[in-house]
């Protein structure tokens, strides 16, 4: 890839475009480690130099950079190489200059610049927020269902999904993102990536604005939509295929499932409202975990992480975890000989959290009876699998690590773990 970039210097504009298309195909096959080893700060600085010396046209540079950002964002590769480069500064200056133009403003160029910048750097300054967000939401609000328009909307929403700065004024986005989600719920005009990206952008905003919780749960019904999307995606996936045997369309579907699971991790970790659909939502995650277990460990691992997050948050009840068969799935995972240290940690933390939650007494008599019943069912489930003593033996260990260096637990737990 680095060699191909150097070769662009000696090509005509049309030849550059063909080579860039070849480069775009190559990067789609890259894993995270290879991707980060290629697209370094030095690589982006070299791109900046080629643009400065007019060796590479802006049109071709955007074609290449937008695809770098597209692959990075779709696959959830988090990197700061672009953010620390000279090219990032150039993009900021050009976006501000283009926005300030009153006459002869190139709207398409401004959109391209905003998409590239946000796909490659999800942490813009507050000054950039007020330019980038309205610009891309305007594109995302397009209602046309032709292929070209859908691609434009998808790219704008995918870029917004990478927006990880949280101190943003609600009035910059709230009405627009609600309209995009609600319109899709009625007309189904968005691609799967676009719809998931709209949700991810919305959920990310809730980190520092908890007033959004009511809107997300009670007005646009995230849990209902997540259930439907996960079940629909899982239904069409051929999980028996090995990863290398999947078509590009199937690979993309797997990536979208992974992005939904990542969004669920945010949802379970932050939200405090409870709804009856939570048991069904847990069940959908458990179903995907079982389906992906043999041939896509990354997806099944994300499922376990999402379920672990659910146990730590009071918005999911222990009986929801029982009804959704989350406990069965995590017990099955512990039995597997291929269990890695990270999943050992998440699995044991799952049971530790359930045990803690089951002990929390309720003042309301009816709720207290439900708590006792749920606790009894959990213990019976663990006794059936022979795990009650094993999990109990970790209580002191978890307490120690929670107080001292909780996040290093996965590094130590392998020495203590017992396969029963």
């Amino acid at each position: 890839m680095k060699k191909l970039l150097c070769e662009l210097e000696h090509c005509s504009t049309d030849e550059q475009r063909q080579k860039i298309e070849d480069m775009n195909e190559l990067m789609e096959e890259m894993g995270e480690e290879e991707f980060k080893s290629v697209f370094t700060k030095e690589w982006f600085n070299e791109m900046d130099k080629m643009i400065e010396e007019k060796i590479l046209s802006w049109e071709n540079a955007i074609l290449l950079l937008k695809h770098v950002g597209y692959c990075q964002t779709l696959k959830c590769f988090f990197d700061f190489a672009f953010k620390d480069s000279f090219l990032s500064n150039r993009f900021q200056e050009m976006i501000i200059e283009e926005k300030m133009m009153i006459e002869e403003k190139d709207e398409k160029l401004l959109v391209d610049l905003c998409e590239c910048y946000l796909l490659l750097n999800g942490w813009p300054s507050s000054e950039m927020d007020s330019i980038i967000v309205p610009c891309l939401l305007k594109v995302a609000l397009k209602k046309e269902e032709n292929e070209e328009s859908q691609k434009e909307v998808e790219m704008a929403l995918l870029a917004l999904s990478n927006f990880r700065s949280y101190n943003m004024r609600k009035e910059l986005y709230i009405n627009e993102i609600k309209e995009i989600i609600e319109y899709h719920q009625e007309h189904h005009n968005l691609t799967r990536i676009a719809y998931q990206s709209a949700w991810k952008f919305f959920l990310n905003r809730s980190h520092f604005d908890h007033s959004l919780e009511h809107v997300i749960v009670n007005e646009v019904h995230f849990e209902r939509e997540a259930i439907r999307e996960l079940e629909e995606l899982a239904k069409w996936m051929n999980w028996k295929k090995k990863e290398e045997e999947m078509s590009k369309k199937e690979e993309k579907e797997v990536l979208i499932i992974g992005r939904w699971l990542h969004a669920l991790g945010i949802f379970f970790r932050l939200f405090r409202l409870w709804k009856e659909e939570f048991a069904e939502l847990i069940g959908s995650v458990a179903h995907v975990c079982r389906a992906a277990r043999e041939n896509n460990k990354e997806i099944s691992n994300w499922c376990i992480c999402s379920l672990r997050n659910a146990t730590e948050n009071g918005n999911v009840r222990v009986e929801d975890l029982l009804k959704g068969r989350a406990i069965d799935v995590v017990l099955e995972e512990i039995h597997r000989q291929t269990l890695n240290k990270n999943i050992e940690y998440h699995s044991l933390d799952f049971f530790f959290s359930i045990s803690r939650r089951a002990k929390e007494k309720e003042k309301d008599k009816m709720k207290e009876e439900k708590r006792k019943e749920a606790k009894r069912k959990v213990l019976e489930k663990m006794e059936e699998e022979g795990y009650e003593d094993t999990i109990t033996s970790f209580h002191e260990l978890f307490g120690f690590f929670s107080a001292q260096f909780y996040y290093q637990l996965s590094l130590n737990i392998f020495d203590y773990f017992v396969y029963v």
Side-chain angles (χ1 to χ4, degrees), residues 143-156:
K143 302 293 194 300
E144 298 89 345
E145 294 186 30
N146 59 71
E147 187 176 352
E148 183 180 353
S149 180
Q150 281 192 326
K151 284 182 177 178
E152 290 174 1
V153 170
E154 179 180 288
M155 189 65 78

Side-chain angles (χ1 to χ4, degrees), residues 99-349:
K99 179 63 180 175
M100 294 299 291
M101 285 187 181
I102 298 173
E103 298 180 3
E104 299 183 2
K105 183 184 294 185
D106 189 335
E107 293 288 351
K108 185 180 182 307
L109 176 60
L110 180 60
V111 170
D112 285 337
L113 290 169
C114 288
E115 286 176 348
C116 274
Y117 183 80
L118 202 51
L119 287 165
L120 292 165
N121 172 24
W123 303 93
S125 64
S126 56
E127 181 185 13
M128 300 293 287
D129 291 356
S130 58
I131 301 174
I132 291 174
V133 174
C135 174
L136 296 187
L137 282 173
K138 183 179 177 181
V139 176
L141 281 164
K142 288 184 177 181
K143 302 293 194 300
E144 298 89 345
E145 294 186 30
N146 59 71
E147 187 176 352
E148 183 180 353
S149 180
Q150 281 192 326
K151 284 182 177 178
E152 290 174 1
V153 170
E154 179 180 288
M155 189 65 78
L157 285 170
L158 185 68
L160 285 167
S161 77
N162 200 43
F163 199 107
R164 295 190 291 277
S165 294
Y166 305 124
N167 297 321
M168 189 200 306
R169 299 193 316 275
K170 189 190 297 186
E171 57 268 25
L172 278 177
Y173 64 86
I174 184 68
N175 293 329
E176 290 83 356
I177 200 66
K178 270 190 68 182
E179 181 181 339
I180 289 165
I181 289 172
E182 288 174 337
Y183 189 85
H184 174 79
Q185 289 172 351
E186 184 176 353
H187 301 281
H188 306 289
N189 64 308
L190 301 176
T191 65
R192 290 195 186 282
I193 293 174
Y195 189 48
Q196 192 284 326
S197 296
W199 273 114
K200 190 170 182 216
F201 171 75
F202 205 2
L203 287 166
N204 280 342
R205 309 283 68 73
S206 66
H207 273 85
F208 290 104
D209 189 346
H210 297 297
S211 68
L212 295 175
E213 185 171 342
H214 175 78
V215 178
I216 289 171
V217 174
N218 291 326
E219 294 185 30
V220 285
H221 310 290
F222 171 76
E223 68 295 334
R224 181 190 68 193
E225 296 299 296
I227 290 165
R228 185 178 58 77
E229 287 292 318
L230 281 178
E231 290 181 350
E232 194 66 25
L233 285 162
K235 183 167 62 179
W236 293 107
M237 284 305 309
N238 186 350
W239 293 108
K240 293 182 180 179
K241 282 187 179 180
K242 297 291 184 184
E243 193 172 347
E244 60 270 16
E245 296 172 347
M246 287 186 174
S247 67
K248 284 194 173 182
K249 185 177 185 305
E250 288 173 320
E251 288 175 4
K252 190 169 283 189
E253 300 286 277
V254 169
L255 288 172
I256 300 168
I257 289 176
R259 286 172 63 82
W260 272 106
L261 292 169
H262 187 266
L264 279 168
I266 298 171
F267 179 75
F268 286 141
R269 191 168 64 248
L270 295 177
F271 283 58
R272 294 295 182 269
L273 294 175
W274 176 85
K275 292 193 79 174
E276 290 183 3
E277 290 89 347
F278 284 175
E280 189 179 351
L281 181 56
I282 293 290
S284 296
V285 177
H287 171 69
V288 170
C289 187
R290 281 198 176 107
R293 186 176 282 155
E294 294 300 328
N295 295 317
N296 198 305
K297 285 301 296 177
E298 186 173 24
I299 292 293
S300 63
N301 290 352
W302 279 356
C303 289
I304 298 296
C305 292
S306 291
L307 295 175
R308 189 284 307 268
N309 283 347
T311 66
E312 294 182 340
N313 194 323
N315 72 317
V316 178
R317 299 176 182 177
V318 174
E319 49 263 43
D320 295 330
L321 297 162
L322 282 163
K323 288 178 185 176
R325 303 185 68 82
I327 293 171
D328 302 73
V329 165
V330 180
L331 283 171
E332 290 163 11
E333 196 67 28
I334 290 176
H335 273 300
R336 293 172 60 77
Q337 296 299 315
T338 56
L339 195 63
N340 65 46
K341 291 184 180 183
N342 191 42
I343 298 306
E344 287 168 16
Y345 157 64
H346 289 305
S347 298
L348 288 170
D349 196 15

